[in-house]
């Protein structure tokens, strides 16, 4: 595997389900990010982890819960979602989050909440 | 509210022409700027980064930055139909508590017609 990978690529879940998105980066980076991309809206940063520590929560509702067990893996745990949470969820990584480093994106998970 | 503004387009250019994509930003302390290309149904792909005033060239792509005018642009020379995509502009603050935050514009849809 190379670059940034995400699983699953597509997910359909009901509002009462609990599911998790997984991201893995193979670039030796120390910072990982979750972004949300909704139709007709700019890409929106959700969370930032730098060396496994969360450094940014961009006012994200608590039904989204991130986890970063190490610098290579990032999870987004989902529970009690709403239909308006349907979007493309993108993971990205960079060398670290304290400098002006380029961010590289994974392929994304297309989430549909029914 | 820090903003990155792009003309959503669509911008249509003939094959072989120069495509010019523009972006303005509101935060005077923005330090780094990035252009991403996003094909329909895919994730953003980094194509250019620029940190200093002036031009930066990479193959058919030239990024231009003017910090005094808070303006960054992307020129695509010899446009090809395969360049048809949405182009996202993003800025990033340097250091402090910015923690690698990218702020994205809404993107410009580019169509290159044969």
């Amino acid at each position: 595997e190379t670059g940034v990978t995400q699983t699953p690529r597509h997910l359909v879940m009901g509002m009462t389900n609990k599911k998790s998105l997984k991201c893995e980066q193979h670039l030796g980076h120390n910072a990982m990010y979750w972004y949300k991309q909704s139709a007709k809206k700019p890409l929106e940063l959700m969370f930032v982890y730098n060396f496994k520590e969360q450094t940014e929560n961009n006012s994200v509702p608590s039904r989204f819960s991130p986890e970063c067990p190490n610098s290579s893996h990032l999870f987004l745990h989902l529970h009690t979602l709403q239909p308006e949470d349907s979007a493309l969820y993108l993971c990205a990584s960079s060398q670290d989050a304290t400098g002006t480093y380029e961010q590289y994106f994974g392929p994304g998970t297309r989430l549909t909440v029914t | 509210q820090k903003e990155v503004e792009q003309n959503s387009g669509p911008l249509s250019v003939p094959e072989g022409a120069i495509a010019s994509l523009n972006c303005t930003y509101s935060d005077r302390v923005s330090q780094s700027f990035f252009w991403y290309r996003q094909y329909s149904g895919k994730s953003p792909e980094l194509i250019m980064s620029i940190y200093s005033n002036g031009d930066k060239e990479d193959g058919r792509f030239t990024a231009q930055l003017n910090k005094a005018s808070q303006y960054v642009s992307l020129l695509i020379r010899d446009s090809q139909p395969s360049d048809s995509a949405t182009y996202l502009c993003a800025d990033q603050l340097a250091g402090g508590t910015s923690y690698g935050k990218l702020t994205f514009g809404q993107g410009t849809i580019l169509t290159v017609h044969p």
Side-chain angles (χ1 to χ4, degrees):
Chain A
E1 293 279 14
T2 59
V4 182
T5 58
Q6 290 186 244
T7 55
R9 297 292 305 278
H10 300 272
L11 178 62
V12 179
M13 60 186 288
M15 290 190 285
T16 57
N17 290 159
K18 288 184 181 181
K19 296 286 184 183
S20 295
L21 310 184
K22 179 183 175 183
C23 176
E24 184 174 358
Q25 59 91 5
H26 309 268
L27 299 169
H29 289 164
N30 298 299
M32 297 187 78
Y33 310 79
W34 280 116
Y35 286 87
K36 176 183 179 182
Q37 189 173 38
S38 305
K40 309 294 184 187
K41 285 183 158 183
L43 256 172
E44 181 182 357
L45 179 68
M46 299 175 73
F47 301 104
V48 180
Y49 278 83
N50 199 39
F51 292 90
K52 302 189 297 178
E53 299 297 320
Q54 186 180 131
T55 58
E56 182 77 27
N57 176 336
N58 198 25
S59 303
V60 180
S62 60
R63 57 186 184 269
F64 295 91
S65 174
E67 178 190 359
C68 187
N70 55 61
S71 292
S72 299
H73 294 85
L74 185 64
F75 296 88
L76 188 62
H77 304 299
L78 316 171
H79 65 96
T80 327
L81 293 191
Q82 305 298 310
E84 59 264 30
D85 296 323
S86 298
L88 180 66
Y89 288 86
L90 292 158
C91 175
S93 72
S94 68
Q95 186 61 43
D96 75 51
T98 57
T100 54
Y101 296 106
E102 297 167 343
Q103 294 184 20
Y104 297 91
F105 285 87
T109 295
R110 174 69 62 185
L111 173 67
T112 303
V113 181
T114 61
Chain B
Q1 178 78 15
K2 193 161 78 77
E3 290 185 344
V4 175
E5 301 283 345
Q6 293 182 256
N7 187 328
S8 61
L11 173 65
S12 182
V13 301
E15 185 174 356
I18 296 174
S20 177
L21 304 160
N22 304 315
C23 176
T24 59
Y25 59 96
S26 62
D27 197 321
R28 291 196 165 273
V29 298
S30 295
Q31 292 292 319
S32 308
F33 303 87
F34 304 91
W35 283 99
Y36 287 83
R37 176 176 63 198
Q38 187 172 23
Y39 292 113
S40 181
K42 302 293 185 182
S43 64
E45 173 193 8
L46 180 68
I47 53 172
M48 288 287 282
S49 57
I50 186 165
Y51 307 101
S52 306
N53 277 327
D55 295 359
K56 178 181 177 182
E57 187 175 318
D58 183 1
R60 294 186 298 113
F61 299 99
T62 299
Q64 299 174 317
L65 174 60
N66 183 325
K67 290 189 177 181
S69 300
Q70 295 178 240
Y71 176 88
V72 59
S73 65
L74 180 71
L75 301 178
I76 306 175
R77 289 182 299 282
D78 189 24
S79 295
Q80 301 297 309
S82 59
D83 295 324
S84 298
T86 298
Y87 288 80
L88 305 174
C89 172
D91 76 349
Q92 184 181 57
L93 302 181
T97 59
S98 63
Y99 289 115
K101 290 177 65 173
L102 288 180
T103 301
F104 283 87
Q106 285 201 290
T108 298
I109 299 170
L110 173 66
T111 301
V112 180
H113 54 87

